[in-house]
Amino acid sequence: RRVRGAVSMAKAKGVIDIKDIEILSLNPKVRSHATLKPTNITDKAKKHWKRNIGCETGCEKKNDFTDIKETTLTERGALFEAQRCLKCADAPCQLSCPTQLDVKSFITSISNRNYYGSAKYIFSDNPNGLTCGMVCPTSDLCVGSCNLAASEEGPINIGGLQQFSTDIFKKMNVKQIRDPSLPPLDKLPPSYKTKIALVGCGPASISCATFLARLGYTDVTIYEKEEYHGGLSSSEIPQYRLPYEVVDFEVKLMLDLGVKVQYKKELGKDYTLESLHKDGNEIVFLGCGLPAPKISSIFDGLTVASGFYSSKDFLPIVSKASKHGMCACKSELPTLHGNVVVLGAGDTAFDCATSAFRCGAKRVLVAFRRTFSEMRAVPEEVDLAKDEKCEFLPFCNPKAIILNPKTGKIQAIEFFKTEKDENGNYYDDPDSFLRIKCDFVISAFGSQLLISDATKPLTLNKWGFVECDPNTMQSKGADWLYCGGDLVGHGTTVEATNDGKTASWYIHKQIQESHGLTVPKEPELPNFFTPIDLVDISVDFCGMKFLNPFGLASATPCTSAPMIRRAFEAGWSFAVTKTFSLDKDMVTNVSPRIVRGTTSNHHFGPGQSSFLNIELISEKTAAYWCKSVTELKKMFPKHIVIASIMCSFNKDDWIELAKMAEKAGSDALELNLSCPHGMGEKGMGLACGQDPNMVRHICKWVKSAVSIPIFAKLTPNVTDIRSIAIAAKEGGADGVTAINTISGLMGIKTNAVAWPNIGSQNYTTYGGVSGNATRPVALKAVTAIANALPGYPIMGVGGIDSAEVALQFIYSGAPVIQICSAVQNQDFTVVDDYITGLKALLYLKARQDLKGWDGQTPPKGEMMTIKNIIGYGLPKFGPYHKERNKKLSEWALGVNLQTVSESPAKQPTLTKIPTIADIKGAALDKITNYLNLDNKQQVVAVVDEELCINCGKCYMTCNDSGYQAIKFDPKTHIPHITDDCTGCTLCVSVCPIVDCITMVPRKTPFVPDRGVDTIS
């Protein structure tokens, strides 16, 4: 390491001289004058820095089946996008989803890094949740209804978020189980052993079978004609949009429930619909799609050898060759070259078009009868094709194929130009046509079901779809036959999934009623469950049994008894009432009184990092609250109700109010000794809680009067909170609550008036700051008390907004958690996310095969990077971007598509799942005095060039707030850490890309820069 002390100073004239001229050359400077640069120089420069570089002609994609979806998100992108979501009431996104996904809740879970909870919401309503996250036409469904579409920043990437969390869950390798609250299979009536057959193992059948199995049906069999499952999801959606392992994963979840699949069983060859029914299947569900292509007569006699494919020929060959594990066949990609014309303007046509590039086509043209605005394909598909430089031929209807007379292969196609009449119908103009030279033609004009003896008693409508009741999916041909998916005109995966879901309930209803049983009037399909949901997160605390650690703090969410009732119904295990007093101390609040925090900067909507309030205690009487406690305990005997009470420093008042609350049936009392505004001026709250002697006496008075546990709620507005906690314990308090809000002034407007301000005088006062901004103070308070008073019961409060944060408080010594601001940011239902999140965190701690996970985040794993391929890194802009693409294209040509695309999941190894008691206080022995920290074990920063986006934030903060230890390349903008790095970690803190900069152990001894020699 270069020593920069006395040696470097010997060359300098003074200590203020700037020595790192080269390093600082690109550091920002305040401009003293306008900057002039000729346009021709800028034109050259912008080419060097340009990032949005597309293909100039047809993209070089041969053999490249890597993911191309623009919606795909990294964890950083998913967290950022999830935080944007407003989590709306009666969310239109959910109302626009065919499967009625609880979009608001699954995105909430992602924003809280509870990926299991998110996946649970998704799979509860959609057994094909990961598939739909990848291929769902969200712009026409949930995203098209997003309320943020009315804002400048635009709608949420719902599909990308759905894909992200379900893909993380896939990596967890956890089996599906039935709802443990339902009767076990051996306790169900014989009607649940009814034999049910499903035809085709595609999305509709997978969905239907999954819900039937969740309900408890044990004899459910799917008959699939291929040797693989997934239907069109596997055979006709390309690997770069939907990998086979995704479909395989969802089918395995179905198989976990006991559903059986028989392969190579083809309708019309091995059985008919009527033969299935005669073989004892009381119900048959038909979900086999539309297996036959619609082909114009002008293609009669043409074959693959001629250069002609239908989509039903082409896409399955591509899939079999590119999707590892789909079949045992050693299929190869179709060998295309030159110009390829794709006929049609639906999703399938565009899958054919983009697949053609990967099979060797140099130019791909998509021809269709109508105009751009009337294309049936979803925008997502069209945009991908445009990005890859597919060309479009609207108003074209095939007229004839021109064959090479010598080879018999296609050499051109002729089109009639189409026109639109006044009724909106298209017709061929016989006087207008064009000829396009081409080498291959792929017809993607749709599919059909060919009626035969095998499909009796099906009937088709005038559009060629199966006639059925759209509300129940029951066929009009027979009451034992149900249908869904493409067959009934529902061509998207999510619609097919919902058809299967809908059919499952009405199949269930029909079976049960045929056996003389009844079902609920409103459908009640079971949710998705796994062993994670069996994890015990109950807490024994001060003689009380908490169903889970999550409760509502004495604050706005507990303003009234009906609110607490709704909270208990949502899943909160306990609540602390809004603080009440004797009638003589009744208050009336001012308004406005609760405002968003300035700590969130210019972020509006939910997700505020802080609030400030000048609200006082409850305006309701002690009699109201005592009656409320009695009624709540009667209705919810297993839930904990804690009464929060406040008096001045008056023994008789405290004893009187405490006895009232105990008599009402309170499980415990919380003594509010910490309200930081208003009440202190009345000699209550903070006025008592800052004096250890007063705290000691009040606790002693109350403890002498009641037999239930009491907790002193502590204020952080003291020099050392430990002294207050010690006083509470000496006074007999069974435990403490830490912390109440922090006294503060949230901000002053440009007119010199604070907010909130009251009345015409615009007066304000110091209020209580709450929310995530208080978390560091709360964690310090809890850990300090826990270390000072080992084993002393603590209820943690302050900035808890997720299961991960709750875990931090449990590690700190507080096994029971109170929450307020997170509810103010959203609603009572967040507790469901906290419960599933904490269960998942405890479960994953017991999975030895997942030891490298950070909570619910999997390790990054081995990525195929440009550095792995060519031996050095390249930025993603300008000439480097072009070089990257060229090298990646060359690399793709040598990839064996039949090799495993990802490492197989390890066999789950589950040890004892820890309880909350097991992990309480686990972090305490790592919190020590500064002098115990080892300054010999130093770290330095390392930059991952592949992840780096070349922003230079690390470089700037190191220069102006650190040690000038980062060089910034003027050509590549790649930062390089020098030997002068002191390991301060500022660069990591400001880097916008997760894990782009990591800290690793220093390999050489650290020698601090002392500036000048010590003066003797």
Side-chain angles (χ1 to χ4, degrees), residues 211-352:
F211 281 110
L212 288 170
R214 287 181 189 174
L215 286 163
Y217 290 92
T218 56
D219 197 353
V220 180
T221 304
I222 299 176
Y223 296 90
E224 170 55 53
K225 73 173 184 178
E226 303 289 354
E227 60 180 298
Y228 54 84
H229 38 240
L232 302 190
S233 296
S234 296
S235 64
E236 295 192 23
I237 301 180
Q239 171 79 2
Y240 49 86
R241 289 185 58 224
L242 181 61
Y244 181 71
E245 58 260 29
V246 168
V247 179
D248 191 52
F249 156 70
E250 291 167 341
V251 170
K252 286 177 179 175
L253 288 178
M254 175 189 74
L255 297 176
D256 289 340
L257 299 175
V259 175
K260 298 176 284 292
V261 181
Q262 292 192 19
Y263 297 95
K264 295 187 177 182
K265 298 293 183 181
E266 185 173 351
L267 178 64
K269 180 181 176 183
D270 300 299
Y271 60 89
T272 68
L273 295 181
E274 289 182 332
S275 71
L276 282 176
H277 186 49
K278 290 176 183 177
D279 286 345
N281 291 287
E282 287 191 25
I283 298 293
V284 176
F285 177 84
L286 187 59
C288 61
L290 298 172
K294 290 180 180 178
I295 300 178
S296 171
S297 60
I298 70 169
F299 304 121
D300 288 349
L302 295 179
T303 65
V304 170
S306 310
F308 175 77
Y309 292 87
S310 75
S311 61
K312 294 289 184 182
D313 300 323
F314 181 69
L315 289 175
I317 298 173
V318 174
S319 291
K320 288 176 182 178
S322 61
K323 295 189 174 186
H324 172 81
M326 180 171 153
C327 63
C329 54
K330 298 295 184 181
S331 182
E332 293 185 358
L333 292 174
T335 303
L336 304 184
H337 60 269
N339 294 350
V340 176
V341 173
V342 177
L343 305 175
D347 295 339
T348 300
F350 284 99
D351 281 338
C352 290

Side-chain angles (χ1 to χ4, degrees), residues 594-656:
I594 306 172
V595 300
R596 62 180 289 274
T598 54
T599 56
S600 300
N601 205 0
H602 302 300
H603 170 75
F604 300 93
Q608 296 298 317
S609 64
S610 66
F611 293 92
L612 178 135
N613 82 87
I614 53 173
E615 181 163 293
L616 303 178
I617 62 175
S618 177
E619 296 173 323
K620 293 179 171 59
T621 63
Y624 168 87
W625 280 112
C626 288
K627 191 171 188 299
S628 297
V629 169
T630 302
E631 292 181 6
L632 286 167
K633 285 302 298 180
K634 184 177 180 181
M635 182 174 286
F636 302 97
K638 293 184 178 181
H639 288 67
I640 302 298
V641 180
I642 300 173
S644 175
I645 60 176
M646 179 188 286
C647 300
S648 61
F649 190 66
N650 184 300
K651 179 178 180 180
D652 293 339
D653 289 355
W654 278 105
I655 290 175
E656 179 185 355

Side-chain angles (χ1 to χ4, degrees), residues 2 186 232 303 570 727 732 781 879 993 1008:
R2 179 169 60 89
D186 59 358
L232 302 190
T303 65
I993 305 299

